[in-house]
């Protein structure tokens, strides 16, 4: 139903439960890759909303398509190139349509991307989203636009992200940007630039606002949250202090974080987690390999013994804490023995879940310049499969340990499989499914676990 708003002197129409200002341009925003990219897309959404764009979810109606991209592995980039080939046909139908590439692929390939992909009109790196309105304005008449400048200061601290999609219960807050660890295989330091931390006042305020708007779970995001540091009022705030300050917003607000570099995981962090019930008992602690010699080649700056020492400290103070990890199979020079050490580390830690990858050489990284990508595809595949098979068993053992126990679940939504069931996560980040007991999204429900599958726990509300 159209209506006239005297306040804004604009005409609004209802479109898919949203009011759109007539004259607004339609933005279709698609995101690939890590949680950080999804969080960045919310910032892009906010910047463009201020500039007369509304977000739509039908790509065919778009005036502007933006794709926020990932470069972490070769296949992530291939996926985006494939998507661009699909979008080409839309451009033929609507020559006014503008297509932009954001994020890591734009930063990595720079103007080369505009030459290779003729359908792309603009590129913007992760630190140049404020410039998007200008870039869009300068596209036209065959003119393309690019900004891939990296910044040492940009944190988008003053921008309130637009929450679109999602479950309205859990949200991400980006607390820092960039990475300076230069792991030998990783492209991130080159695509996301120098590490910088966001003003904690703006982080705590964003957490408070989300809580006031009904959100009940916040994940603090950064490439290495443990090196968060912000100088303020002659004091320095570190990550454990920030985490505790966010947890104090409300006991009803769950707080999570990702990702932790093992070399920087402090005793102070473990203590803060242990003493705040609403900080979830889950740590994502990417090991990458279980072999000290391999970790050295990877430039991870810790050994297997250091990693296991951190794990023991976590388990000592929080026996209920789950651990997840990232693992790479077949990095340069990996011997069969080094691979076996990864398998033995997995067993020793008993991960609840893992993200597991075949090594993919990335141009311009240290490994690309100085090392040989000498493990055959076949061996990489075989080792990865062994890792995946073992993790399947470990996840099963881990999930079985909940049977007969009662866990607290933050309800997110109806279960995908059946609308008679609800689902949500426990503190350890395991998905729990249980028959609908009338609870609403954002409620906490105690569930007694009766059975499990590799990825979920099942039980009854009590
Ligand atoms: N090849 C394979 N996996 C990689 N990762 C990062 N770079 C590469 C690469 N070149 C993995 C690491 C990291 C996760 C986000 O992606 O495990 O923790
Ligand atoms: Fe990449 Fe290492 Fe930085 Fe993680 S810590 S983003 S793996 S360079």
């Amino acid at each position: 139903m159209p209506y006239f708003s005297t306040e804004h002197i604009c005409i609004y129409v209802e479109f898919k439960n949203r009011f759109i200002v007539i004259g607004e341009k339609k933005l279709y925003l698609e995101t690939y890759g890590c949680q950080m990219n999804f969080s960045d897309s919310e910032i892009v959404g906010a910047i463009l909303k201020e500039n007369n764009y509304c977000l739509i979810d039908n790509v065919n109606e778009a005036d502007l398509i933006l794709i926020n991209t990932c470069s972490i592995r070769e296949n992530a980039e291939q996926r985006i190139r494939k998507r661009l080939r699909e979008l080409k046909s839309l451009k033929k139908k609507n020559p006014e349509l503008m297509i932009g590439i954001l994020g890591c692929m734009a930063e990595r390939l720079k103007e080369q991307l505009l030459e290779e992909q003729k359908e792309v009109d603009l590129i913007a790196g992760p630190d140049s989203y404020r410039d998007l309105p200008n870039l869009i304005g300068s596209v036209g008449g065959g003119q393309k636009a690019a900004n891939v400048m990296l910044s040492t200061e940009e944190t988008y601290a003053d921008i309130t992200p637009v929450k679109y999609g999602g479950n309205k219960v859990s949200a991400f807050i980006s607390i820092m940007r960039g990475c300076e660890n230069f792991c030998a295989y990783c492209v991130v330091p080159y695509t996301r630039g120098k590490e910088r931390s966001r003003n904690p006042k703006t982080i705590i305020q964003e957490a408070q606002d989300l809580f006031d708007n009904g959100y009940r779970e916040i994940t603090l995001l950064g490439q290495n949250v443990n090196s968060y540091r912000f100088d303020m009022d002659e004091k320095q705030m570190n990550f454990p202090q920030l985490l505790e300050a966010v947890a104090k917003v409300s006991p009803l607000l769950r707080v999570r974080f990702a990702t932790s570099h093992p070399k920087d995981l402090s005793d102070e962090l473990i203590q803060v987690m242990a003493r705040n019930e609403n900080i979830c008992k889950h740590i994502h602690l990417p090991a990458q390999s279980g072999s000290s010699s391999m970790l050295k080649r990877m430039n991870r700056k810790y050994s297997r013994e250091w990693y296991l020492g951190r794990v023991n400290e976590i388990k000592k103070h929080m026996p209920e804490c789950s651990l997840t990890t990232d693992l790479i199979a077949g990095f340069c020079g990996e011997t069969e023995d080094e691979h076996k050490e990864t398998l033995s580390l997995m067993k020793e830690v008993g991960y609840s879940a893992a993200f597991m990858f075949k090594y993919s050489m990335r141009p311009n990284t240290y490994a690309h310049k100085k090392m040989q990508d000498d493990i055959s595809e076949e061996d990489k595949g075989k080792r990865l499969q062994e890792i995946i098979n073992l993790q399947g068993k470990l996840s099963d053992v881990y999930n079985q340990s909940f049977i007969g126990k009662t866990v607290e679940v933050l309800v997110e939504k109806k279960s995908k499989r059946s609308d008679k069931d609800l689902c949500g996560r426990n503190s350890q980040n395991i998905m729990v499914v249980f028959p609908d007991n009338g609870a609403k999204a954002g409620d906490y429900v105690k569930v007694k676990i009766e059975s499990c599958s590799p990825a979920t726990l099942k039980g009854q509300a009590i």
Side-chain angles (χ1 to χ4, degrees), residues 3 13 163 210 344 353 432:
Y3 77 89
V13 287
K163 301 282 167 211
L210 285 164
S344 84
V432 181

Side-chain angles (χ1 to χ4, degrees), residues 110-139:
K110 306 195 170 39
E111 280 81 358
Q112 187 192 328
L113 189 61
L114 290 174
E115 279 158 33
E116 285 171 12
Q117 308 282 158
K118 298 287 179 233
E119 62 283 10
V120 175
D121 299 291
L122 72 90
I123 57 168
D127 290 343
S128 50
Y129 298 146
R130 284 183 205 267
D131 197 27
L132 273 171
N134 289 329
L135 293 171
I136 294 165
S138 59
V139 169

Side-chain angles (χ1 to χ4, degrees), residues 220 225-227 238-244 257 259-261 264-276 279-285 310 313-314 317-318:
L220 303 179
V225 290
N226 297 114
S227 60
N238 65 15
F239 181 63
Q241 291 159 348
L242 174 73
L243 182 66
E244 191 153 51
F257 55 92
T259 291
S260 284
H261 195 304
D264 298 315
L265 188 124
S266 64
D267 291 344
E268 187 186 358
L269 175 70
I270 297 172
Q271 285 149 18
V272 163
M273 286 182 76
R275 71 171 173 249
N276 288 276
I279 301 179
C280 290
K281 302 300 177 275
H282 165 225
I283 303 182
H284 184 63
L285 198 61
R310 293 290 75 201
E313 198 64 18
I314 293 165
H317 293 275
M318 298 179 288

